[in-house]
Amino acid sequence: MTKKLLFQFDTDPTPSVFDVVVGYDGGADHIHGYGGVTPENVGAYVDGTIYTRGGSEKKSTAIFVGGGDMAAGEAVFDAVKKRFFGPFRVSTMLDSNGSNTTAAAGVALAVKAAGGDIKGKKAVILAGTGPVGMRSAAMLGKEGATVAIVGRALDKAQKSADAIEKRFGIKVEAIEAKSGEDRAKAVAGSNLVFSAGAIGLELLAEDVWKSESSIEIVVDYNAQPPLGIGGIDAMDKGKERHGKLAIGALGLGGLKLKLHRTLIGKLFEAADQSFDADEIYALAKEMA
């Protein structure tokens, strides 16, 4: 039987152990990781995957692009796909920093909690300039929500908003918020609030979202205390708190892991599949 080989192209110096574990759990028979992968050096690696097997055996080779930098991952992912031609291709997946699968799980569960429709809703993403926040913004925008991303510096927030519009065609508002008071003002009048900040920083106090009548759903991507949104629990999965629905990092983490594993399995179903934000989010909605 032809072995299922997953080649992990990581933009960081060392390939992610997390991605290796999930890759095996998703059905790969063998994973070989390369660190320090760039658009300039990835060509030789890709050639090794597309020229060695033919016919039905080709679907048993796949490529996973990861690393901590989504912009770098996107550049490598594009370079990989440009190397393909005709039947000389294998299935590919992009999930730098777990951004696609994490954001897809969070947004899919939020949409489900909202009854399946967030068109016209106002969504605010605190610390939204990172990869998870930016991917969440795009997915929320595609669902018809009006989206704003909040960052400590307006120029960085605007740069992220411009990148989202360029990549996904979604117009996003950029908001500067340097303090807790600023963030409270940023979420005023919003319906969905996401927190995508770094570990160890509470971005929104419980009293703020508790008293904001417009807020319907809060989602926090941080599992380590103190959580990004005060007053919720990391295990929350649509739990009602103060008349609103709360989703915590571990509450959405189950879907994120199932999604990641399922996508690895799908890589080996055919030789021409490509999984980036849109495809990953579509599957997350089905699985949610």
Side-chain angles (χ1 to χ4, degrees), residues 43-107:
Y45 300 148
V46 176
D47 290 350
T49 69
I50 63 177
Y51 291 126
T52 48
R53 287 172 165 174
S56 62
E57 290 186 336
K58 193 174 285 293
K59 69 180 182 181
S60 294
T61 301
I63 293 172
F64 177 95
V65 177
D69 187 327
M70 176 57 80
E74 287 178 322
V76 169
F77 195 61
D78 288 342
V80 167
K81 293 187 291 183
K82 287 178 181 177
R83 203 78 177 184
F84 297 160
F85 65 97
F88 295 98
R89 63 187 65 243
V90 296
S91 289
T92 57
M93 177 177 168
L94 173 64
D95 199 25
S96 295
N97 205 30
S99 305
N100 278 332
T101 50
T102 301
V107 175

Side-chain angles (χ1 to χ4, degrees), residues 21 119 213 244:
V21 174
K119 290 182 177 66
S213 61
K244 309 165 195 311

Side-chain angles (χ1 to χ4, degrees), residues 216-267:
E216 302 168 16
I217 299 169
V218 290
V219 181
D220 189 2
Y221 289 119
N222 180 23
Q224 183 172 318
L227 302 186
I229 297 179
I232 74 169
D233 189 281
M235 293 296 296
D236 286 349
K237 189 176 180 180
K239 181 177 179 62
E240 184 174 343
R241 294 184 182 275
H242 308 307
K244 309 165 195 311
L245 300 179
I247 300 172
L250 298 181
L252 66 89
L255 176 58
K256 180 263 190 297
L257 282 172
K258 290 178 183 177
L259 177 62
H260 193 156
R261 293 178 187 134
T262 300
L263 287 159
I264 296 297
K266 287 184 172 294
L267 288 172

Side-chain angles (χ1 to χ4, degrees), residues 21-242:
V21 174
V22 181
Y24 279 118
D25 289 347
D29 294 315
H30 181 75
I31 299 174
H32 193 86
Y34 296 87
V37 178
T38 67
E40 290 72 33
N41 66 21
V42 75
Y45 300 148
V46 176
D47 290 350
T49 69
I50 63 177
Y51 291 126
T52 48
R53 287 172 165 174
S56 62
E57 290 186 336
K58 193 174 285 293
K59 69 180 182 181
S60 294
T61 301
I63 293 172
F64 177 95
V65 177
D69 187 327
M70 176 57 80
E74 287 178 322
V76 169
F77 195 61
D78 288 342
V80 167
K81 293 187 291 183
K82 287 178 181 177
R83 203 78 177 184
F84 297 160
F85 65 97
F88 295 98
R89 63 187 65 243
V90 296
S91 289
T92 57
M93 177 177 168
L94 173 64
D95 199 25
S96 295
N97 205 30
S99 305
N100 278 332
T101 50
T102 301
V107 175
L109 288 175
V111 171
K112 179 183 178 182
D117 186 5
I118 60 169
K119 290 182 177 66
K121 300 284 187 181
K122 181 180 179 181
V124 174
I125 306 173
L126 302 174
T129 61
V132 174
M134 291 174 66
R135 282 305 202 242
S136 298
M139 294 169 186
L140 288 163
K142 283 183 173 289
E143 286 285 357
T146 300
V147 185
I149 56 173
V150 179
R152 287 175 294 180
L154 183 58
D155 58 345
K156 184 175 180 180
Q158 189 59 58
K159 183 177 179 180
S160 297
D162 292 342
I164 294 167
E165 183 174 11
K166 181 179 179 181
R167 169 65 178 80
F168 296 98
I170 299 296
K171 187 73 174 177
V172 174
E173 180 185 2
I175 299 176
E176 180 180 81
K178 296 183 177 181
S179 66
E181 184 179 349
D182 291 339
R183 289 188 289 272
K185 291 178 181 177
V187 303
S190 65
N191 308 117
L192 297 91
V193 177
F194 286 67
S195 176
I199 290 173
L201 180 64
E202 182 180 277
L203 296 177
L204 196 67
E206 181 176 6
D207 287 345
V208 174
W209 63 268
K210 173 184 176 181
S211 61
E212 181 58 53
S213 61
S214 65
I215 295 177
E216 302 168 16
I217 299 169
V218 290
V219 181
D220 189 2
Y221 289 119
N222 180 23
Q224 183 172 318
L227 302 186
I229 297 179
I232 74 169
D233 189 281
M235 293 296 296
D236 286 349
K237 189 176 180 180
K239 181 177 179 62
E240 184 174 343
R241 294 184 182 275
H242 308 307

